Amino acid sequence: MNNLSPLISARSLTRQYRRGAEVVKALDGVDLDIRAGEMLAVTGPSGSGKTTLINLLSCLDAPTSGELSVAGRRVDGLPESELVAARRGVLGFVFQKFHLLPTLTVAENVELPLLFLRRPADRAETLRVLETVGLAERADHRPGEISGGQMQRTAIARALLAKPSILIADEPTGNLDKANGEAVIALFRKLVTETGITVILSTHNERHAAACDRILALEDGRIKTAGALHS
Ligand SMILES: Nc1ncnc2c1ncn2[C@@H]1O[C@H](COP(=O)(O)OP(=O)(O)O)[C@@H](O)[C@H]1O
Ligand SMILES: [Mg+2]
């Protein structure tokens, strides 16, 4: 991969689900190129395929057919064990529901993935990442003691700790009020500007989508419109 090739590239990307005798085309032939350092919004009504696309780009799920390259590597057709390797250090995930453990502190929640990898945590590094998301003072609080916006920023810090080149978020502002939602979008923008990370997020919120560099609108598993808002 050179600097000019897209960071993520999809051709005829398709994901079908079987529901009884019926086949659901959740994603139906999507072509897509995403540049490094882009902030992309995936929009569309409920059931249009946003989560399906996000899960494929995240290498959390595999396409039924089509081609997908992530960070210079073909990932369609890879077995789960190799998808895990393709994700590591490349992709960071943020979910609508923050998935924090209530008994752990903010700092411990950020370090949790290291526990699974049996790697030691570096508390100074954890605090640096918490500083980046504006939560250094909350390191010793528990999720129950902070706001929803702070919980989501904790989840973003957790995703950032492994220094991914791509941050993917499925409706990251879906459970947040207006102010906290806007703060999360502003944080993504800051990360893109300051670190060059690539951000892909799905959203129902038109203002949040408009704050991104580009909108990919889905309808019935297909791309409806795609255009640069500002470049
Ligand atoms: N595991 C599944 N099994 C069967 N159908 C599914 C599954 N996941 C999603 N779908 C269907 O695929 C379509 C797209 O769903 P999804 O990607 O979740 O859309 P969105 O995130 O935009 O709401 C919908 O029709 C949904 O019902
Ligand atoms: Mg969804």
Side-chain angles (χ1 to χ4, degrees):
M1 191 178 69
N2 60 43
N3 287 335
L4 296 173
S5 51
L7 187 61
I8 295 182
S9 181
R11 292 292 174 271
S12 306
L13 200 64
T14 299
R15 177 65 165 100
Q16 302 181 345
Y17 296 110
R18 199 164 274 288
R19 202 157 35 197
E22 190 193 358
V23 172
V24 181
K25 285 189 176 177
L27 210 64
D28 188 12
V30 164
D31 293 338
L32 176 63
D33 288 312
I34 303 172
R35 293 190 313 274
E38 235 187 322
M39 182 166 167
L40 177 79
V42 178
T43 65
S46 186
S48 59
K50 301 183 297 297
T51 295
T52 301
L53 177 62
I54 293 270
N55 287 346
L56 291 179
L57 299 182
S58 306
C59 302
L60 292 169
D61 184 28
T64 308
S65 64
E67 294 175 14
L68 179 63
S69 298
V70 176
R73 181 166 185 194
R74 275 290 286 274
V75 294
D76 55 276
L78 285 187
E80 173 59 25
S81 58
E82 288 186 46
L83 285 179
V84 171
R87 292 197 291 267
R88 192 165 296 148
V90 175
L91 292 152
F93 316 102
V94 176
F95 305 95
Q96 178 174 354
K97 295 174 186 168
F98 323 117
H99 297 302
L100 302 179
L101 292 187
T103 57
L104 299 184
T105 65
V106 162
E108 288 164 348
N109 267 286
V110 170
E111 292 166 353
L112 193 59
L114 296 173
L115 202 68
F116 293 118
L117 293 171
R118 297 174 187 278
R119 289 196 195 143
D122 174 354
R123 187 50 60 94
E125 178 63 15
T126 303
L127 291 175
R128 265 196 296 278
V129 176
L130 281 172
E131 180 84 54
T132 306
V133 304
L135 283 180
E137 279 79 57
R138 296 285 180 270
D140 296 324
H141 287 62
R142 310 221 178 244
E145 301 162 345
I146 60 177
S147 72
Q150 290 172 331
M151 285 193 251
Q152 190 57 300
R153 283 189 277 140
T154 301
I156 293 169
R158 181 180 56 194
L160 289 174
L161 196 66
K163 298 187 169 56
S165 47
I166 306 165
L167 198 55
I168 304 197
D170 194 8
E171 302 208 34
T173 62
N175 278 10
L176 300 178
D177 64 23
K178 188 167 184 279
N180 277 311
E182 283 173 7
V184 161
I185 296 297
L187 171 59
F188 284 139
R189 173 55 72 193
K190 181 184 95 146
L191 293 170
V192 167
T193 305
E194 291 180 1
T195 72
I197 199 168
T198 303
V199 170
I200 303 166
L201 62 94
S202 68
T203 180
H204 275 114
N205 185 307
E206 283 178 22
R207 283 165 51 86
H208 295 173
C212 295
D213 298 320
R214 187 155 63 105
I215 297 174
L216 185 91
L218 289 176
E219 193 174 63
D220 296 330
R222 292 167 172 271
I223 295 177
K224 197 176 148 201
T225 54
L229 283 181
H230 36 84
S231 54

